[in-house]
Amino acid sequence: VQLQASGGGLVQPGGSLRLSCAASGFNSDYYTIGWFRQAPGKEREGVSCIGTNWDSTLYVDSVKGRFTISRDRAKNTVYLQMDNLKPEDTAVYYCATDFEESCSSSILQYSYKMDYWGKGTQVTVSS
């Protein structure tokens, strides 16, 4: 099981980025995928997840209306489209999966529940 996050970079406030989480070694269609982030000096926090029941989605309040999570089944990849970025979105972003957990507020709050993690991608929002 491998997850590879990419797509981070430096962007000005109000700008957009699309992060990709490429899965290998398993079919990500059948499992919850979550995006998490960790800013310097802060604890890791859940950002969004996408489940397997009609691709249900969930977002932390701070990104609602600005971020969109989606799947590309043909590419076994999950995306996080981030619009109207703010300096407080600056962090290392990680994707993760677990073969038992559903997309829920619980996994966004308790990231340790996710068993498999990819390496992070840095997102910096600054003018």
Side-chain angles (χ1 to χ4, degrees), residues 15-74:
S16 298
L17 284 173
R18 188 178 77 161
L19 304 184
S20 300
C21 177
S24 60
F26 72 106
N27 187 338
S28 63
D29 291 355
Y30 300 120
Y31 304 104
T32 291
I33 303 292
W35 282 100
F36 301 81
R37 65 187 180 187
Q38 188 165 21
K42 294 187 176 181
E43 292 187 355
R44 186 168 60 194
E45 68 166 341
V47 175
S48 180
C49 59
I50 186 166
T52 57
N53 293 327
W54 304 284
D55 284 350
S56 58
T57 60
L58 197 62
Y59 301 91
V60 68
D61 285 348
S62 60
V63 308
K64 282 181 181 177
R66 300 189 298 120
F67 290 13
T68 305
I69 191 170
S70 63
R71 293 182 187 272
D72 184 331
R73 286 178 165 74

Side-chain angles (χ1 to χ4, degrees), residues 1 25-27 30-32 97-101 113 115-116:
V1 175
F26 72 106
N27 187 338
Y30 300 120
Y31 304 104
T32 291
T97 191
D98 189 89
F99 291 171
E100 296 183 355
E101 295 290 338
K113 292 186 175 185
D115 283 341
Y116 301 99

